[in-house]
Amino acid sequence: PRHKCGNQKSCPQNYFAFKIISGAANVVGPSICFEDLVLMSSVKNNIGRGLNIALVNGTSGQLLKTDAFDMYSG
């Protein structure tokens, strides 16, 4: 069976499924999947260099904000 975000198994009841994939230099971009919805990826063109962050409400699972913190330029 297919599991949310391509995980190997389903999450327990009352838990959110997520998957974070790190990028590889400027060859492969990072991605963040939450509850089977890709929040950030190079395809969506909303990632940046450095730390990519998705802020999600821990109770409802609603996406609040996405952003990147550039570790290189400060």
Side-chain angles (χ1 to χ4, degrees), residues 12-69:
Q13 197 81 20
N14 299 320
Y15 284 80
F16 293 119
F18 71 93
K19 188 173 195 175
I20 300 171
I21 300 173
S22 178
N26 61 353
V27 179
V28 178
S31 67
I32 300 175
C33 177
F34 184 81
E35 283 295 293
D36 227 16
L37 177 67
V38 176
L39 303 180
M40 299 182 80
S41 73
S42 55
V43 173
K44 293 184 73 112
N45 199 28
N46 65 347
I47 57 171
R49 73 175 177 190
L51 297 174
N52 289 276
I53 301 165
L55 180 63
V56 178
N57 181 307
T59 304
S60 68
Q62 177 187 8
L63 176 65
L64 302 175
K65 183 177 181 177
T66 61
D67 211 340
F69 180 73

Side-chain angles (χ1 to χ4, degrees), residues 1-11 17 36:
R2 188 191 174 303
H3 304 289
K4 291 181 181 177
C5 292
N7 289 326
Q8 293 182 358
K9 58 183 180 176
S10 293
C11 293
D36 227 16

